[in-house]
Amino acid sequence: MSERSDKPFIGRNISVVRDLSIDEQLYLYDQTRKIKRAILQGDNVDSFRSKDSDLGCYLVFLEDSTRTKESFRNAAKFHGTKVNDFDVKSSSFAKKETLTDTIRMLYGYSARSVFVVRSKLEGTCSWLHKVVSRYSELAGLPPASFINAGDGRHEHPTQEFLDEFSFLEQLNWNNDSIHLALVGDLFHGRTVHSKADGLKIFSSVQIDLIAPRELQLPPYYYKKMLDSGYSIREFDSIDEYLSQDSLAPLWYFTRLQLERMGDKVRDKSEQLRHAVSVRPDHIPHIPASAKFFHPLPRHGTLPTIPHFLDSTAFNGWDVQSMNGYFTRIALIGMVSGVLGMDFTGQSPVELDFSGEFLSDVPVTSKHKPSFKVGIKPVDHGLVIDHIGKGDSPQVIWDHIEKIRRIMDFNCISSHGVYLGYSGKNLKGIISIPGKATMDDSQLKILATIAPNSTVNMIENAQVVRKVRLSMPPRVYGIDSIACKNPDCIAFPDNGEFVDQEFIRYGDDAFLCRYCEKPHAYREIWRD
Ligand code: NCD
């Protein structure tokens, strides 16, 4: 999203928080502040309204929702757009239509569309935005916006925006620093996961994670917070947290998402809930100026923030949920184009996929290497060397089998597991006589299956080219890759026929581009 237009938010995908740059998020909060003030003071709010009756705002909620759906509905009505509530039960899902087909069809029913989508499948909006953008480009129609209203355990960016707005409001719009306690089900809570990026609007961030082991923040989000420079402390329970002095002025509670938990964890729910629920005896130990927030819903009888606190000064969650309406008015205003013309900041930086996956190694000796006992010397052909170097024999054999299957090496060839020159590490070798070259697309596939291997290209008994492979920055367009997260839109059994795509993550893993689940590099292949 580097190119600027006078309406920079039209047709944007807001699938994760970072789909808006920090400048854009701050712009959203600024607009929300103006809208909230104008509405509460009864001022004329016409300049904020889109008044575009050709704009279709589709509420596609494939999971239950009260606040998110109703605040979006009211925000869309504020703008005077068409509001279409997509009825899942009476739709063609019952006839096994894919969500992808359904949305492509709905896109055709309005001159301009904004889709607000909640799904238990992670990465749904990223995929739908990609596929509908392709459709709109081909048909020469205006692009549609997709807004993620919560996708499985992944993210909930619009909740994040209203949460950050509420924190800023509480901190008198000062974004120098924040000290925030995150309490409850940090493992399943998508509103907590979105904080890893959302809190970046503050220059300095101190986070206290309060959750028993079973409900701890997933390592991916923990690392993201660390990488963003947040200072993080961890506590097992509110009791443990209160046994020290440095308490956060802002506390963000979440409910225990029992519906997403396995039986084992669910059986311990009473104990887990006890660790993260406020009790009357806690109150004297919490500063009277502290504010509590909660994305809601609360459990009716067993809430983590009990009802006796509703009419106390701790209650920040009522105003927070009201802020959902104002932030969503601002967001629809931005993606529909009535807001954003005066935005002057940075747009999101596109991810950089320019890194190389192969490097040529100088061929010092032109003579072909003698490839050990069992491998027939190759006069003309390929020798793939250093496969799985340093791994156990079992892992290297599996690796060799995988390379042969995926690369379709059903030809005269040989392979084996051998000791390397140093005599310390094992490695796999595949030798293929007769085939002396590999093009870049084949090398890229091989680099993805067997990073750190080398390929020797041998002609007339001489090595003519030697390349060392490393993990490509992005892997796509290969039939044999697939996301292994059953809750991802790209998981093949979910039947949406998604274009699989992975992005390099560290030295030995890939992230699914949709659900962002880390996969060890060996895991991305279909079984
Ligand atoms: C949250 C959600 O759905 O992720 N609620 C919300 O959108 N206001 C939190 C939850 O379900 O516990």
Side-chain angles (χ1 to χ4, degrees), residues 118-165:
R118 170 170 287 191
S119 165
K120 77 175 182 43
L121 292 182
E122 298 166 9
T124 296
C125 279
S126 297
W127 164 243
L128 293 175
H129 187 257
K130 183 172 176 178
V131 83
V132 172
S133 298
R134 222 180 277 153
Y135 174 176
S136 64
E137 271 162 36
L138 279 175
L141 296 170
S145 261
F146 284 83
I147 300 179
N148 176 9
D151 57 338
R153 280 184 276 159
H154 182 214
E155 282 222 29
H156 194 344
T158 70
Q159 178 70 42
E160 183 56 17
F161 299 148
L162 79 91
D163 291 345
E164 295 303 326
F165 178 81

Side-chain angles (χ1 to χ4, degrees), residues 357 402-403 406-408 438-451 453 469-470 472 475-481 510 521 524-525:
F357 59 88
K402 193 173 257 175
I403 294 172
I406 295 165
M407 302 293 296
D408 216 5
M438 255 185 169
D439 64 24
D440 273 12
S441 67
Q442 288 174 305
L443 283 170
K444 186 170 176 188
I445 298 176
L446 186 58
T448 312
I449 317 169
S453 60
L469 302 175
S470 53
V475 184
Y476 61 103
I478 303 175
D479 286 344
S480 34
I481 54 172
F510 287 107
Y521 75 91
I524 67 169
W525 304 95

Side-chain angles (χ1 to χ4, degrees), residues 78-184:
F78 170 93
H79 282 288
T81 71
K82 288 193 283 181
V83 184
N84 298 282
D85 203 336
F86 178 72
D87 185 353
V88 182
K89 292 195 182 73
S90 63
S91 76
S92 289
F93 287 152
K95 297 180 187 166
K96 303 276 179 250
E97 185 177 50
T98 63
L99 176 62
T100 309
D101 274 357
T102 306
I103 299 290
R104 281 165 54 89
M105 180 262 317
L106 293 178
Y107 168 71
Y109 294 164
S110 295
R112 286 167 290 283
S113 314
V114 175
F115 291 95
V116 179
V117 184
R118 170 170 287 191
S119 165
K120 77 175 182 43
L121 292 182
E122 298 166 9
T124 296
C125 279
S126 297
W127 164 243
L128 293 175
H129 187 257
K130 183 172 176 178
V131 83
V132 172
S133 298
R134 222 180 277 153
Y135 174 176
S136 64
E137 271 162 36
L138 279 175
L141 296 170
S145 261
F146 284 83
I147 300 179
N148 176 9
D151 57 338
R153 280 184 276 159
H154 182 214
E155 282 222 29
H156 194 344
T158 70
Q159 178 70 42
E160 183 56 17
F161 299 148
L162 79 91
D163 291 345
E164 295 303 326
F165 178 81
S166 305
F167 300 153
L168 281 172
E169 190 173 46
Q170 187 60 33
L171 297 170
N172 265 323
W173 313 107
N174 180 347
N175 66 343
D176 286 348
S177 66
I178 187 168
H179 181 187
L180 178 70
L182 296 172
V183 194

Side-chain angles (χ1 to χ4, degrees), residues 61 63-69 118 149-152 155-156 158-159 162-163 188-192 252-257 259-260 294-298 321 328:
F61 279 71
E63 242 189 18
D64 296 342
S65 171
T66 307
R67 267 149 294 272
T68 306
K69 187 171 179 179
R118 170 170 287 191
D151 57 338
E155 282 222 29
H156 194 344
T158 70
Q159 178 70 42
L162 79 91
D163 291 345
H188 299 93
R190 52 196 176 198
T191 68
V192 172
Y252 187 89
F253 289 81
T254 58
R255 80 187 164 92
L256 267 61
Q257 301 198 7
E259 76 279 11
R260 298 190 206 274
H294 195 307
L296 305 176
R298 278 189 289 182
S321 75
R328 285 162 179 145

Side-chain angles (χ1 to χ4, degrees), residues 425-443:
N425 288 323
L426 292 173
K427 61 176 184 171
I429 297 175
I430 301 176
S431 114
I432 309 169
K435 176 184 167 66
T437 54
M438 255 185 169
D439 64 24
D440 273 12
S441 67
Q442 288 174 305
L443 283 170

Side-chain angles (χ1 to χ4, degrees), residues 368-372 385-386 389 418-427 429 466:
K368 68 181 188 306
S370 62
F371 280 109
K372 314 281 156 46
D385 196 0
H386 300 112
K389 192 172 170 186
Y418 302 94
L419 255 185
Y421 286 112
S422 67
K424 283 193 214 128
N425 288 323
L426 292 173
K427 61 176 184 171
I429 297 175
K466 181 175 181 150

